[in-house]
Amino acid sequence: MNVYAPAPVDKRLEAVYNSSPVISFLWKAEGKWPVEFVSGNITQFGYAPEEFLSGDILYGDIIHPDDLDRILLEVKKHSEKRNTYYFSLNYRILTKSGEIRWVTERSFIQRDEEGKITHFQGIIIDNTELERTERELLETGKKYQVIFERSPVGIIYFDESGLITHCNKCFSDIIGASVKRIIGFSILSSLSDEKLKSAVDLVFLGHPGYYEGEYISSISGKRMMVKASFSPVMNEDGSLLGGIGIMEDIAKNKKAEELINLNEMRLEALLELYQMQDSPLNDIAEYAIRKAAELTNSKIGYLEFLNEDENVLETYQWPNNLSEYLSGSEEPFIHPVRSTGFWGEAIRERKPVIVNKQYASETIDDIYPGNKERLFRHMTLPVFDKDQIVAVAVVANKKTDYDESDVRQLTLLMEGMWKLVQYKNTNEVLYEALRMRRMLESIMSSSPAIVFLWKPERDWPVEFVSENIAQFGYTVSDFISGKMIYGDIIHPSDLKRVREEVERASREGFSDFSQEYRILTRSGEVRWVDERTMLHYDERGMVDYLQGIIVDITERKQANNFIHIECDLDNVLGKTGGPEETFERLLDFALEAKTIDSGIIYIVDQATGDFDAVAYRGLSENFVNSLSHFGSNTLMSRLFNTGYPVYKYFSEINMMLSAESLDYEGLQAMAFIPVKFNDKLVASIVLASHKELEIPANSRNLIETIANQVGIIMSRMKKDSVLQKSKNSLNSLLDALDEMVFIVDMEGRILHVNTTLMKNLKYSAKDLEMKDFLMLYPEDWEDDVLSTLDEIMEGKSSTCEIPLVSKEGILVPVKSKFTIGEWGGQDVLIAISSIVKEPGP
């Protein structure tokens, strides 16, 4: 058998061939594979064909050193198999510039008459992007697996028949059964409650289902209170693939929420106590015992101060009207400590005492004459100063049993209270204040709330900030050193509003206030915070400092809204017919924001930086014409190039525009929103209101979220446009050939034909699309066609002289040349047929 060497081809065909991503090779079967033939498009890797044909470079020289030994072994393995004629390999090569590219090689093995391998003939295709994408998908899959396994909520997946196929550890903990036992169980048979079954039944109808209430697992028999949601997973054709179930243990969550709320209440109480260092002792004591009763859900509270001998009690109680013995007097009730009863027991044992039962032998009358309130549960806690008991706190008549959590809350509160009392009774006020500050810092370091102490100056220089400011990327020294002030991190669009709110609170004598606004982290990320601030006034009634906390509320504020926006945008944009309609729909979606009733979308010319309007709503044509285009150095351009959304009164913008006055439009407020993708400005949105003077914060949040999605959508549109343009160019090139061209996939279906073929064979593109290519040949020649095709695929031949047949049944004598190539990302067979003219008489 002769070794096939590529025959000369028509220059136009060669141009098509050389512009293909498929590079052809003919290698000698020796050493590192000397090259006898390589197509001209090897230049895409920086090499010239002559470098290989001259022998200066062997093919093995460009294979990545880490892959070469593996490729040598794989080629040897395929070569030793006598019945193997074809193999495929995946490996890396080095371009001439040293860049690493992944390629796929598909080669035929050439043997001589004695069966000895002489050559390898094949192609290589650059699949670097595919390889990178596959690796990224694999990495993403691992991340999602970690998220699934470590989710704090229970998650299951069940197929269309209801069988549970996936289950995470949290779900098995909630149900009380192992993951292995749950998987394979029917979701419907595991449910005992009819309402819960109904929620799951909705999934099989293609709808989400929800349930909250008691659930008894038929897998484990465990009874629990749960909140569950079930969602269908649909195929692209609308058929049901299965469903996802998410379940939370409400009881567990409620306990966690209660604990968080208690910690926050205690923290607020400690902060308030810290502000009371100049208050009288009875105010401090009454506040502390009131908060002690609230923290432990008690109806009654007492605070007893002991003298140095631990034998005299000075008593404060809550509520104040519990007894009448204090009527007309602000002095506390003073009495000796009794050796028996719950007072004496806590002092004698020197530890907290809890009694969760009816205390039949003792009433408040035993301590306070005239009061008949009976105690049925109570907790007594001694407060220590080093080894000495200085106070006893008592809370009573809680609806449920007291436990160690109540002891902890009361202990921390009373310790804070006693430290404040010490401040009032010692000459080392400054030293003790620093100790309290350290204690608060310690408490706050493990809390999501960040504590600040601000000076009442412009943009609030910081005197104190807790260590957990690190969650926003800053350090304490950034602020304490004076390098930054608090106003530096407030979002520019919100700073004016925050200043006005602080000024109003100070001017009107507020003791505290709260507000929500955005800040910028060190990395530039925008986060929403809830600030709660207390104002401290001096003797003249002037604010001498502000103390408060900020809490990150970004997820709470944006999560539900963002999901809604993202889903709605996908639904809206999936129905558009072209770029213009897409921009119009995007603008319509933005106008759903409250107070927004008009707007314009601009596209940025990446070459010049100019802005051109592509869609508008709610504005007159004269107004739009005035602002339909502006250059890169104009004021409008600078507003977008700040990188942040800008919100202005229209009167401010109108004065800055060089065009004629636009007052006739009647606008009140305007927003200038930059649209970025990969940190590059690609478009901009101008939104406006005819009715409102200012665009509110909730509307700003919505339109900025939309703008983030618009950048991604525009990038996708641009990519699709480039791909279509490339495909159209290739079609035009094929249509310019005088030869007939048809392209078929490896299953024999026609993917594309050129104009010359349709003209000569009288077919339309619709007649042939995805049809069997054998319809182009006479019926009685099918066996010959298939036999010839086998030889072509084995590399034994590349030409065929079997005639084609027209739609009308007329034979057209041709000479066809076949080549293996790529079309639309898949392997194809490309046939180029030249009409053979019959010799004249």
Side-chain angles (χ1 to χ4, degrees):
M1 182 180 74
N2 294 326
V3 173
Y4 165 71
V9 296
D10 184 273
K11 287 188 176 181
R12 288 172 297 174
L13 178 58
E14 184 178 0
V16 174
Y17 192 71
N18 286 339
S19 65
S20 166
V22 180
I23 303 172
S24 296
F25 272 98
L26 183 66
W27 299 284
K28 289 182 180 179
E30 59 185 55
K32 292 167 69 174
W33 310 293
V35 177
E36 288 196 349
F37 170 79
V38 59
S39 55
N41 55 346
I42 187 64
T43 54
Q44 66 183 270
F45 294 137
Y47 301 106
E50 294 76 16
E51 293 180 274
F52 291 94
L53 299 178
S54 66
D56 291 342
I57 299 177
L58 302 178
Y59 186 71
D61 295 337
I62 72 171
I63 295 176
H64 194 287
D66 293 343
D67 292 349
L68 183 58
D69 290 342
R70 174 175 62 85
I71 299 305
L72 286 166
L73 288 173
E74 290 195 27
V75 172
K76 180 180 179 182
K77 179 184 69 175
H78 290 299
S79 300
E80 290 173 349
K81 298 179 181 178
R82 300 296 299 174
N83 59 344
T84 299
Y85 300 96
Y86 168 84
F87 61 85
S88 178
L89 302 171
N90 240 17
Y91 52 88
R92 293 168 292 179
I93 67 167
L94 300 173
T95 67
K96 193 162 187 176
S97 64
E99 182 184 1
I100 298 173
R101 306 294 292 177
W102 279 91
V103 298
T104 297
E105 174 192 331
R106 297 186 176 93
S107 293
F108 291 97
I109 300 173
Q110 302 286 340
R111 291 183 170 86
D112 59 17
E113 294 178 354
E114 297 177 357
K116 181 181 179 181
I117 297 175
T118 60
H119 293 78
F120 301 103
Q121 180 183 350
I123 60 171
I124 64 171
I125 304 169
D126 187 342
N127 67 348
T128 304
E129 295 304 320
L130 176 61
E131 187 74 22
R132 183 180 293 119
T133 301
E134 288 178 349
R135 290 172 182 268
E136 289 176 354
L137 287 173
L138 181 60
E139 191 64 29
T140 301
K142 291 179 180 178
K143 291 179 181 177
Y144 280 122
Q145 180 68 23
V146 171
I147 292 172
F148 174 80
E149 293 296 341
R150 298 183 181 178
S151 172
V153 296
I155 305 174
I156 57 169
Y157 178 83
F158 51 91
D159 61 22
E160 69 276 9
S161 67
L163 287 181
I164 299 173
T165 59
H166 295 79
C167 163
N168 70 351
K169 178 68 166 54
C170 183
F171 186 87
S172 72
D173 291 341
I174 293 173
I175 294 299
S178 66
V179 172
K180 184 176 181 181
R181 186 178 174 191
I182 294 171
I183 291 177
F185 216 88
S186 170
I187 180 68
L188 291 173
S189 63
S190 69
L191 306 177
S192 58
D193 186 275
E194 289 301 322
K195 290 184 179 180
L196 184 54
K197 284 185 178 179
S198 299
V200 176
D201 287 337
L202 287 173
V203 173
F204 295 100
L205 297 176
H207 305 291
Y210 306 93
Y211 174 79
E212 183 172 341
E214 187 176 59
Y215 165 51
I216 303 174
S217 170
S218 40
I219 301 177
S220 65
K222 182 180 177 182
R223 182 188 299 267
M224 67 211 84
M225 293 295 294
V226 299
K227 181 191 291 184
S229 62
F230 302 93
S231 303
V233 178
M234 310 300 289
N235 205 343
E236 292 179 356
D237 60 4
S239 62
L240 181 71
L241 292 175
I244 295 175
I246 298 176
M247 184 174 289
E248 298 179 70
D249 187 333
I250 297 177
K252 184 177 179 181
N253 289 346
K254 283 185 176 179
K255 288 181 180 178
E257 290 176 5
E258 288 173 0
L259 182 58
I260 291 172
N261 291 335
L262 286 174
N263 287 335
E264 290 181 352
M265 286 175 60
R266 188 188 73 249
L267 182 59
E268 290 179 359
L270 288 171
L271 288 172
E272 183 65 25
L273 279 171
Y274 182 60
Q275 296 292 322
M276 297 175 68
Q277 52 188 290
D278 296 328
S279 301
L281 178 59
N282 62 317
D283 288 350
I284 295 173
E286 289 174 3
Y287 178 81
I289 196 58
R290 173 165 63 87
K291 286 299 178 182
E294 291 175 1
L295 281 171
T296 57
N297 293 314
S298 302
K299 290 186 177 181
I300 303 172
Y302 300 94
L303 180 58
E304 314 284 333
F305 290 105
L306 278 71
N307 61 11
E308 294 181 0
D309 297 330
E310 297 184 1
N311 60 7
V312 175
L313 290 172
E314 186 176 291
T315 305
Y316 299 85
Q317 82 289 323
W318 183 85
N320 289 333
N321 60 354
L322 184 64
S323 63
E324 299 178 355
Y325 65 89
L326 286 178
S327 299
S329 173
E330 295 183 357
E331 295 299 322
F333 177 51
I334 300 175
H335 62 93
V337 175
R338 301 193 179 186
S339 59
T340 59
F342 56 84
W343 305 109
E345 185 177 0
I347 296 172
R348 185 174 59 255
E349 296 292 335
R350 309 184 74 80
K351 66 179 183 180
V353 175
I354 295 175
V355 177
N356 287 317
K357 64 181 179 178
Q358 183 77 19
Y359 212 111
S361 63
E362 193 160 359
T363 68
I364 295 180
D365 186 47
D366 293 327
I367 298 173
Y368 304 119
N371 198 300
K372 303 299 181 183
E373 184 78 18
R374 181 171 295 279
L375 304 184
F376 52 86
R377 289 186 187 89
H378 66 81
M379 178 175 69
T380 309
L381 177 84
V383 181
F384 289 87
D385 183 358
K386 297 181 180 178
D387 294 330
Q388 182 178 355
I389 297 177
V390 293
V392 177
V394 180
V395 289
N397 292 8
K398 181 182 178 181
K399 289 184 178 180
T400 57
D401 287 353
Y402 290 99
D403 55 26
E404 290 302 318
S405 175
D406 296 314
V407 172
R408 178 176 176 271
Q409 296 292 349
L410 192 56
T411 299
L412 291 173
L413 180 64
M414 289 298 111
E415 286 178 354
M417 181 275 303
W418 178 248
K419 285 179 174 59
L420 180 59
V421 172
Q422 285 180 309
Y423 298 158
K424 297 182 67 63
N425 298 325
T426 182
N427 294 325
E428 299 177 351
V429 174
L430 179 59
Y431 174 74
E432 294 296 336
L434 290 173
R435 287 183 59 189
M436 173 62 79
R437 183 165 168 173
R438 293 192 195 100
M439 185 194 74
L440 291 174
E441 288 178 16
S442 176
I443 294 172
M444 291 306 303
S445 64
S446 60
S447 167
I450 302 171
V451 177
F452 274 97
L453 188 66
W454 298 288
K455 293 181 180 179
E457 301 172 10
R458 183 174 178 81
D459 292 345
W460 316 285
V462 176
E463 288 194 337
F464 169 82
V465 60
S466 54
E467 294 285 348
N468 53 349
I469 187 65
Q471 65 184 270
F472 295 134
Y474 302 107
T475 65
V476 171
S477 62
D478 289 335
F479 294 95
I480 303 303
S481 65
K483 293 179 181 178
M484 298 181 69
I485 57 178
Y486 187 69
D488 294 339
I489 71 172
I490 297 177
H491 195 290
S493 299
D494 294 347
L495 183 57
K496 181 180 178 183
R497 174 171 58 83
V498 175
R499 285 172 179 162
E500 291 173 349
E501 180 64 19
V502 175
E503 289 172 2
R504 184 176 70 88
S506 176
R507 183 174 61 252
E508 298 182 10
F510 288 5
S511 61
D512 60 80
F513 66 92
S514 64
Q515 58 179 330
E516 295 179 359
Y517 52 87
R518 293 166 294 178
I519 66 168
L520 300 174
T521 67
R522 185 180 287 278
S523 64
E525 182 185 4
V526 177
R527 306 295 293 178
W528 278 91
V529 297
D530 179 5
E531 175 195 325
R532 300 179 184 182
T533 301
M534 291 176 286
L535 291 83
H536 189 273
Y537 298 87
D538 59 19
E539 300 82 6
R540 299 170 299 160
M542 303 296 293
V543 177
D544 56 0
Y545 64 86
L546 302 94
Q547 182 172 359
I549 60 174
I550 64 170
V551 179
D552 189 338
I553 59 170
T554 306
E555 282 69 27
R556 187 194 78 192
K557 196 171 185 70
Q558 292 184 347
N560 293 335
N561 194 34
F562 183 83
I563 293 171
H564 167 74
I565 289 170
E566 191 171 63
C567 293
D568 283 358
L569 274 174
D570 286 342
N571 292 336
V572 169
L573 300 178
K575 303 174 183 176
T576 58
E580 295 80 10
E581 187 178 353
T582 298
F583 293 131
E584 291 173 357
R585 288 184 178 271
L586 284 170
L587 197 50
D588 288 339
F589 198 85
L591 295 187
E592 292 183 12
K594 187 177 181 181
T595 73
I596 304 296
D597 55 21
S598 52
I600 307 174
I601 292 183
Y602 295 89
I603 296 298
V604 179
D605 188 322
Q606 297 301 315
T608 64
D610 291 352
F611 292 72
D612 293 291
V614 293
Y616 69 95
R617 284 285 188 274
L619 298 166
S620 65
E621 289 189 8
N622 288 339
F623 184 91
V624 175
N625 289 337
S626 299
L627 297 178
S628 62
H629 173 85
F630 51 91
S632 58
N633 292 321
T634 60
L635 174 64
M636 293 282 280
S637 173
R638 293 193 195 105
L639 286 173
F640 292 117
N641 281 301
T642 61
Y644 302 108
V646 177
Y647 300 90
K648 294 282 187 182
Y649 298 118
F650 176 72
S651 57
E652 295 176 298
I653 298 300
N654 194 24
M655 289 188 294
M656 293 187 287
L657 294 174
S658 59
E660 61 183 23
S661 174
L662 301 175
D663 282 338
Y664 62 84
E665 192 65 28
L667 296 176
Q668 301 293 325
M670 295 192 78
F672 300 82
I673 315 297
V675 177
K676 291 185 175 182
F677 184 75
N678 288 338
D679 292 329
K680 188 174 183 180
L681 188 66
V682 296
S684 59
I685 305 174
V686 174
L687 298 172
S689 173
H690 288 83
K691 299 177 181 179
E692 301 293 335
L693 285 173
E694 186 177 9
I695 296 172
N698 57 349
S699 295
R700 297 181 185 188
N701 183 36
L702 174 64
I703 59 181
E704 288 170 25
T705 304
I706 293 172
N708 289 337
Q709 295 299 301
V710 171
I712 298 171
I713 292 164
M714 291 186 61
S715 175
R716 186 174 65 196
M717 290 170 56
K718 183 176 180 181
K719 181 179 179 182
D720 292 343
S721 174
V722 171
L723 291 175
Q724 186 61 42
K725 183 176 180 181
S726 175
K727 185 175 181 181
N728 292 341
S729 298
L730 184 56
N731 290 345
S732 299
L733 189 60
L734 294 178
D735 287 341
L737 297 176
D738 293 334
E739 292 83 357
M740 293 182 284
V741 179
F742 61 93
I743 300 172
V744 300
D745 63 18
M746 290 307 174
E747 295 182 5
R749 293 173 297 196
I750 299 173
L751 301 178
H752 182 77
V753 296
N754 70 345
T755 304
T756 305
L757 184 144
M758 291 188 287
K759 179 180 177 182
N760 286 305
L761 300 186
K762 311 300 182 184
Y763 283 108
S764 67
K766 187 175 182 181
D767 291 335
L768 299 174
E769 186 178 3
M770 298 306 291
K771 301 294 176 57
D772 192 330
F773 83 104
L774 290 175
M775 69 183 292
L776 298 176
Y777 291 94
E779 291 184 8
D780 52 352
W781 288 62
E782 286 187 1
D783 290 342
D784 295 326
V785 173
L786 295 174
S787 176
T788 303
L789 185 63
D790 287 340
E791 293 181 357
I792 292 170
M793 297 304 292
E794 294 174 1
K796 297 178 181 179
S797 176
S798 63
T799 60
C800 169
E801 297 187 359
I802 299 174
L804 301 177
V805 62
S806 70
K807 185 175 182 179
E808 299 169 347
I810 300 173
L811 295 182
V812 180
V814 296
K815 183 174 183 180
S816 302
K817 180 175 176 60
F818 291 86
T819 305
I820 298 173
E822 186 180 36
W823 180 271
Q826 61 178 314
D827 294 337
V828 296
L829 195 63
I830 303 172
I832 302 176
S833 302
S834 303
I835 297 177
V836 178
K837 296 182 179 179
E838 298 182 2

